[in-house]
Every structure is written in C-alpha cells, then in structure tokens.
Amino acid sequence: MILVLCPGCQTPLDSAEAEANAAELRVQRQDGGRFVADPVICMTGTMAQPGEILYGSDHLEKVPRTGQVEDISALERLPAGTRCVPTVGGVTIHPPT
C-alpha cells in the first residue's frame, strides 16, 4: 500500500483527479478497451521475436539515457489489428473488432 486517503481528508484537487480517473476508466471500458498501468510494451510477437511494437518502445529507449530500469510488463502475442493507446498512467488496449 502506498497511500490511503479518506474522503474527508481529500483536497478538492484530489477529488477532481479521482473523478477524472474514474471517468477515463469508464470510457475505456465502454469503448471495449482494457487499461494497463505503465510501464508496458504492447507487441504482436514475443520478447524473442517482437513483431510489431504497438506502444512502449519509449520505455526501452529511456533506460540507456537515464540508467534507470523499471519493471516493464510485456503484453505479447496481441492479435494483428490491436490498437494500444497511451493514456494517463498507462495504456488502453483495444482488440480488433
């Protein structure tokens, strides 16, 4: 657990951020998307043979620049036609229709 806020302890900014996050997640689910928190790499292949990297290559490029390594989730073998859209704090995956 990182932080716990009781509703009475939240600032107006905290409340607005919580409402925005909840609305964004509702919209993503309604559009058939699935939210995954950063850092994540979406790819049509595998780590050994990545195929098309749909989103997340910026995380890999950041490692040599900053010297910092994050635990990166790899979503492998996504079907062709999948869309991965960066959103605040993560990525939304939209499977092909």
Side-chain angles (χ1 to χ4, degrees), residues 41-54 75-77:
I41 297 175
C42 302
M43 61 185 74
T44 57
T46 65
M47 288 298 283
Q49 295 182 330
E52 182 183 3
I53 296 178
L54 304 169
L75 302 173
E76 302 177 289
R77 296 184 175 93

